[in-house]
Amino acid sequence: MRVLRLLANGLICGIYFCFLLALLVLDLNINRPAAAFDFVRLAVFLFPTYGLLAALASILTASLYRFFVTRPSERNFLSPRFLTLGFSLLTLIFLVVFRENTIHFASFFTPAVRRSVQMQAAVLFLAASAGLVLLFRYFHRRRRAAFLGASLAAAVVALAAACLLRIAYPAADTPFRLSSMEAKPIARRVTILNLEGLSFDFIYPLVNRRLLPNFAYLMENGSWGHLAGFTPSDTAVLRRTLKTGKLPGKHRRLSDVRYTIPGLPGHLEAVPRFILFRQLKQLGLLKIEPYDPPSAVKDIEMIYGEEQAVVVRSEERTALAPETLPEAPAADKLFLSLYKDLQDERAPICRRLEAALIRDRITEERAFRSKAELPPQLFLLTLDGLDDVQTYFYKYSVPAEFGEIRPDEIQKFGTVIERYYQYYDQIISKYTAAMKDDEILIVCSPFGVAPLPFWKRLVEWVLGNADVSAYHEQAPDGAVFFYGSGVSRGRSADGLRLADLAPTLLYYAGLPVAKDMDGFARTTIFTREFKERNPLIAISSYEDVTIRKRR
């Protein structure tokens, strides 16, 4: 009977913890309206994994408590003491996970939503603290069951209040077409090379060794500095911010994948971090598939299009599996010129290197041809090969941070990243040579690179990804370079945020900057003469403005 009682009380604690996790999941999915029954569906889904783990932890905690502290046993099948202690401790554990996730996903929350999240945390913390205080009073002052009943009621009420706060999340702003303006001709041209993964940790030493002459040229003749991103450092989310000047809380792009959960209508766009939630896919409980929703707000491409300007952008990333590389003679020739010593290497990471190079070469050549055929006012090229290469070869470039690595592997792979930077340096040379007098070139990366912590290396090893040695999950600073007409020479651009690029480009093009953007036009990178001739113009929002065609 005692075992059955422990099991029943433990399962109730597990169910409670599942409702807490369901609250976190729905908090992160700001695009999804929450209904009361969604919490139930999610709790049922989470119970076979997180619920049972929480139940087991509760039973073990109660057993240890009874072993070390002698207390009269309870006759009730449902133990108020067990449930009070379990609810309080599980709530405190949840609040640690909740805090880490709300910090990591802080860019998802507008000020109004952030206030709701903070109120949720406060209500739950007060309930957990009250439970522990009332339990203490029960044992050390007066043994009144009303104390325990009050603490359990407080926990349930606090959870219900937190769920109601989520259901009442402020809706996304709805645009109102209150005004219109006539499209104006755009005389200046903008070329953006978004070379994802650039890091000054590599650029500085390579420039000092004179291996990146074109990066050095941009630093001497333009403005440059670190570019601050944000978490979650998801490439699709960062790209949307680059083009909109808004954080995810406003542009509403949360991920490049969507998650389907059995029994839950619709899909999720974000799941909690730090609790191995995505690994539920390995158990067949979670379906993950690519997702590319249309933009919920206007980006610079749309604004330029409404202004009747010509826009050319690179294609979205096309996944190339290392085992199914396409025939690309030019890319093969490039690989031999950069990595001739690795042409016969059969290591799987070398196939990844080749796939990244082929993908970048194909994307860049197609975009450059389009740029030459149809000279655009806005050109945007995104290459992500360096990011992939650094993910797998970082440890050979910085072996001191990874312990024991074979000397022959360091000699073989230690310059792979260095040579990839030299390839990007060649691309910069190609685009600077093709620049017009009225053109600005922006080379940027929304994030840098950081070594994988030891604990994450262990996780990747367990998951079968032992070659992974770098990541950008914590949003290490990227890099940005401005060069061309009107740009100050040799000026530091440190302090720029990713959200600042779009309003800065709009200012350079002579277009109004929207006040509802999270970024600001950084006019300090431009010369005094340019700023005197081009005053900053502001409007409330491009969402509220209809742009009429020029007559």
Side-chain angles (χ1 to χ4, degrees), residues 1-11 59 63 66 77 82:
M1 187 67 179
R2 179 178 296 178
V3 173
L4 189 60
R5 183 189 307 150
L6 273 175
L7 182 61
N9 287 276
L11 291 177
I59 292 171
S63 300
R66 287 187 177 183
F77 187 74
F82 185 116

Side-chain angles (χ1 to χ4, degrees), residues 16 23 120 123-128 153-164:
Y16 175 79
L23 173 66
Q120 289 174 339
V123 167
L124 291 172
F125 179 76
L126 289 175
V156 173
V157 170
L159 177 58
C163 292
L164 288 175

